[in-house]
Amino acid sequence: MFKPEDVRKIAALSSLELSDEEVGKFAEQFTVILKYFEKLKEVDIGELVDDDDQRQVNGRDDICTDSEVSPDQFSPYLDGKFFKVPRVIEQN
Amino acid sequence: MALDFPLSQLVQKIQNSDLNPTALVNLVYDQIEKFDQELNVYRSLVPREISLKRAEQISQKVSNGERVGKLAGLPVAIKNNLSIADPSLTTGCSSKILEGYHSPYDATVVEALKEEDALVIGTTNMDEFAMGSSNENSAFGPTLNPWNPSRVPGGSSGGSAVAVATGMAVAALGSDTGGSVRQPASFCGITGFKPTYGALSRYGLVAYGSSLDQVGCLTRTAEDSAYLFEAIQAVDTKDSTSLANKLESYEEQIDLSSLKFCLPNEYLDSKIVSADVLEATTYLADWLAQQGATVEKKYLGFLECLIPAYYVISFAEASSNLGRFDGIRYGLRRGSGSLDELYKTTRESGFGTEVKRRIMLGTFVLSAGYYDAYYGKANQIRAFIEKKIHSLLTEFDFLIGPVSPGVPFKFGEKKDDPLSMYLEDVYSVLANFTRCPAISIPAGMSKEELPIGFQLMSKPMEDYRLLKVSEAIQAKTDFHTRRPPQWPF
């Protein structure tokens, strides 16, 4: 059972501010969806897959190169070379 | 009618000066003028006069005897989540958070289209950030199904599918994370091809579920998909999951009678699949058997846990990928208080309901105390299913079945029931989950005159063989020749 306070907690972790109406609706829907996801717990992996089968992503080496794109080509929030944001550190 | 020719022939005609590319551009723009307002296909469009100028340049090249590309003069559409540097075009993912966003660079696949002299004419409507199976999650209203405007066109690449089905483009690119190319292709009566994971570069595709996302082709036929795919397939160092080598084309003749097809018993379960779709699926399976092919029914045994495992992984990846939309560097910015307030207000007003739902469920399954039970377990199940499918596809040449359990549904029918919407993907997510290439080809019409698709899936890297077999089926059947009423006959 997903309670409205659970939804608010996840919303805060997701940097989302929800209306009370949205919170109520999501609580109901998440209860149904999470109940469906419970099926995962019923699968006994011990019999199905061993540690060697853990999926590996075979990406190539991560090599650093200069970007062809600079922020002034896409950002409306630049102040000189910097992205302007609200003050983060309190004065004094 | 020029629009009826295969892409290869259109290009050949242009190269031989038998067809002026400006005439083709005009045909496509006439269709757009007639039907785009009603069907809501394009999110942004290059003005006709600019496309005509570009077509004229290709025509000039041909007259001067210069080499032109494999896609010379073809008016092509791309989904609104592919980056394109064009002042007329946006890469907005049909989301308010990226409304009006112009990319400063081209996605690698878009660069390839341009290098081969295709004319990218517009970006198409989609479910916001590719999350959805009906196009109803676009922040700018859904695209309508040309066969019946009260029905959904499928999603998330619904705009691209309708553009091709109605002649508003000769071909289109979409993206497929769990069926988003194949399902709309099936709902609109065209062909939709999702290549092997890594075969087409994801550089410049706005990420949703990075381990599942793949750019795909929407065309009228498998032959056209193969032609488009071949023209843009390349190894890309900018995408760390790009295949190490370019796939080799399949030159051998296809003999249907020598092939073994697996039709999973679960795909014929009348509790899941509708009567119309079941009939079309068994018809084509029987037809294959009549051609001498071996068609064997077999239980997969994992369908129950496939959908929950798939959604846990895709939600988890979405919650991480969409963290970048925070109002700091680009896109929408809302709120004037603290930094935290700016993040929350921007994301609250910029994202639609389905996107919020997936971000939150993804955050939940990744959170402390739940990670192992959901995300960890889902990844183990993925490893198991992948192993099982790859071994099954050694025993069989192809896995076949429906694309979607039902025909295009009515707008609003599933919108407030997210779980039933997620189950729309029950037959399509397997290919993404196991990196396999898969294709949807038209397989007839329902009693209500709505298109039905048929799916074929093969082992990774066997894309050209899969396309060739689909071509062989289309060479002997005529389901792919049906056109909706908007088609310029």
Side-chain angles (χ1 to χ4, degrees):
Chain A
M1 187 68 194
F2 236 83
K3 297 189 206 85
E5 53 266 38
D6 299 328
V7 175
R8 285 203 180 86
K9 194 179 155 196
I10 300 168
L13 286 172
S14 312
S15 291
L16 287 167
E17 187 89 55
L18 304 179
S19 68
D20 289 344
E21 195 194 340
E22 279 180 306
V23 169
K25 208 168 179 181
F26 282 138
E28 267 174 48
Q29 291 171 344
F30 288 2
T31 303
V32 177
I33 294 167
L34 265 300
K35 194 173 168 236
Y36 182 65
F37 285 179
E38 292 292 309
K39 285 183 185 185
L40 295 179
K41 295 183 182 166
E42 294 162 20
V43 184
D44 185 2
I45 284 300
E47 298 167 22
L48 306 177
V49 67
D50 51 49
D51 287 344
D52 293 345
D53 290 335
Q54 287 294 312
R55 199 169 175 279
Q56 297 289 329
V57 175
N58 301 314
R60 282 199 294 277
D61 294 341
D62 194 8
I63 302 161
C64 189
T65 54
D66 287 334
S67 172
E68 292 157 22
V69 175
S70 61
D72 56 301
Q73 291 173 275
F74 62 79
S75 183
Y77 307 122
L78 283 182
D79 187 352
K81 289 196 309 189
F82 303 102
F83 297 107
K84 197 171 178 181
V85 296
R87 183 182 295 277
V88 180
I89 301 164
E90 294 295 321
Q91 275 177 310
N92 306 318
Chain B
M1 169 60 71
L3 285 177
D4 285 303
F5 286 106
L7 299 183
S8 60
Q9 284 188 35
L10 283 175
V11 174
Q12 210 167 32
K13 282 174 184 292
I14 288 169
Q15 283 170 339
N16 297 340
S17 303
D18 291 337
L19 173 68
N20 193 315
T22 55
L24 194 56
V25 164
N26 275 325
L27 275 174
V28 164
Y29 274 83
D30 286 349
Q31 286 297 98
I32 294 170
E33 238 162 57
K34 275 188 206 152
F35 302 110
D36 188 29
Q37 206 174 0
E38 180 204 343
L39 298 175
N40 194 24
V41 169
Y42 281 100
R43 284 294 311 133
S44 63
L45 190 68
V46 175
R48 187 194 287 242
E49 55 279 14
I50 293 179
S51 288
L52 281 172
K53 251 185 219 158
R54 291 175 183 167
E56 189 51 48
Q57 284 164 0
I58 290 169
S59 179
Q60 276 300 322
K61 268 179 152 182
V62 172
S63 318
N64 297 344
E66 290 172 48
R67 194 200 81 91
V68 289
K70 290 176 196 153
L71 305 171
L74 298 182
V76 171
I78 60 170
K79 191 173 176 177
N80 198 219
N81 61 352
L82 282 163
S83 302
I84 179 159
D86 187 312
S88 321
L89 300 181
T90 61
T91 303
C93 297
S94 290
S95 177
K96 282 188 191 157
I97 213 160
L98 282 177
E99 188 173 1
Y101 172 74
H102 291 275
S103 170
Y105 70 99
D106 285 331
T108 301
V109 286
V110 171
E111 201 175 67
L113 288 175
K114 290 180 177 175
E115 266 168 24
E116 294 298 340
D117 289 325
L119 305 169
V120 181
I121 58 166
T123 60
T124 55
N125 200 16
M126 57 188 276
D127 284 294
E128 184 179 5
F129 285 105
M131 297 178 187
S133 312
S134 68
N135 237 262
E136 290 166 292
N137 297 331
S138 166
F140 306 97
T143 299
L144 310 187
N145 192 312
W147 291 91
N148 182 337
S150 70
R151 304 286 176 143
V152 304
S156 61
S157 313
S160 283
V162 177
V164 174
T166 56
M168 291 193 214
V170 297
L173 293 183
S175 66
D176 190 314
T177 306
S180 280
V181 159
R182 289 161 287 153
Q183 188 250 23
S186 134
F187 278 15
C188 294
I190 61 164
T191 300
F193 168 57
K194 181 207 92 75
T196 296
Y197 181 77
L200 289 180
S201 168
R202 288 186 297 113
Y203 179 75
L205 168 70
V206 179
Y208 158 24
S210 306
S211 75
L212 304 152
D213 294 341
Q214 187 55 207
V215 174
C217 308
L218 294 114
T219 55
R220 274 170 289 120
T221 61
E223 182 194 344
D224 281 356
S225 272
Y227 188 77
L228 177 60
F229 177 62
E230 205 275 327
I232 61 174
Q233 207 254 308
V235 176
D236 183 15
T237 51
K238 287 176 180 161
D239 172 2
S240 66
T241 56
S242 172
L243 294 178
N245 298 302
K246 196 170 170 357
L247 294 177
E248 278 175 33
S249 59
Y250 188 81
E251 301 300 341
E252 286 172 51
Q253 280 296 314
I254 290 289
D255 172 13
L256 288 174
S257 71
S258 68
L259 298 176
K260 270 181 91 177
F261 295 88
C262 173
L263 175 59
N265 276 308
E266 291 100 323
Y267 286 17
L268 305 171
D269 181 353
S270 58
K271 288 201 288 291
I272 306 174
V273 70
S274 73
D276 281 329
V277 174
L278 184 61
E279 198 183 313
T281 306
T282 39
Y283 177 85
L284 258 180
D286 291 346
W287 181 87
L288 285 168
Q290 282 161 21
Q291 308 304 306
T294 308
V295 180
E296 216 173 289
K297 288 180 190 162
K298 205 166 176 152
Y299 278 102
L300 294 177
F302 54 69
L303 215 61
E304 280 276 286
C305 60
L306 171 67
I307 286 278
Y310 165 80
Y311 273 105
V312 164
I313 290 172
S314 64
F315 291 172
E317 293 184 10
S319 76
S320 165
N321 274 326
L322 272 67
R324 73 192 62 172
F325 301 107
D326 54 9
I328 300 300
R329 287 149 301 168
Y330 54 93
L332 185 78
R333 180 185 278 198
R334 287 277 182 275
S336 50
S338 67
L339 187 61
D340 194 47
E341 194 262 344
L342 185 149
Y343 289 148
K344 286 183 172 166
T345 317
T346 299
R347 288 162 66 84
E348 168 60 16
S349 41
F351 289 138
T353 305
E354 183 58 33
V355 175
K356 286 179 197 165
R357 188 157 40 227
R358 294 192 190 200
I359 289 174
M360 284 194 287
L361 285 167
T363 304
F364 174 74
V365 299
L366 290 175
S367 61
Y370 298 100
Y371 181 96
D372 288 338
Y374 291 105
Y375 186 68
K377 190 72 176 270
N379 268 313
Q380 286 177 319
I381 290 173
R382 183 176 188 179
F384 161 70
I385 292 178
E386 192 161 340
K387 200 172 168 185
K388 196 150 178 170
I389 280 295
H390 291 183
S391 121
L392 186 80
L393 286 168
T394 309
E395 192 186 335
F396 291 92
D397 295 292
F398 301 97
L399 195 140
I400 52 171
V403 181
S404 164
V407 293
F409 43 92
K410 288 182 186 146
F411 283 104
E413 204 176 310
K414 299 185 186 209
K415 200 164 187 318
D416 290 324
D417 183 359
L419 192 56
S420 101
M421 193 71 96
Y422 300 160
L423 291 171
E424 266 299 297
D425 299 338
V426 63
Y427 305 128
S428 52
V429 299
L430 185 60
N432 307 78
F433 221 47
T434 58
R435 300 177 291 125
C436 291
I439 191 166
S440 165
I441 57 172
M445 306 295 283
S446 72
K447 291 180 188 72
E448 300 162 291
E449 280 295 294
L450 294 164
I452 297 172
F454 182 79
Q455 184 172 213
L456 297 101
M457 182 175 115
S458 79
K459 246 199 300 212
M461 326 284 269
E462 295 198 343
D463 302 49
Y464 283 111
R465 186 159 178 255
L466 172 72
L467 288 159
K468 205 99 184 228
V469 168
S470 309
E471 275 179 53
I473 295 171
Q474 291 185 333
K476 292 184 172 183
T477 56
D478 62 359
F479 301 120
H480 60 287
T481 60
R482 299 283 301 261
R483 303 275 181 265
Q486 295 84 353
W487 188 260
F489 291 102

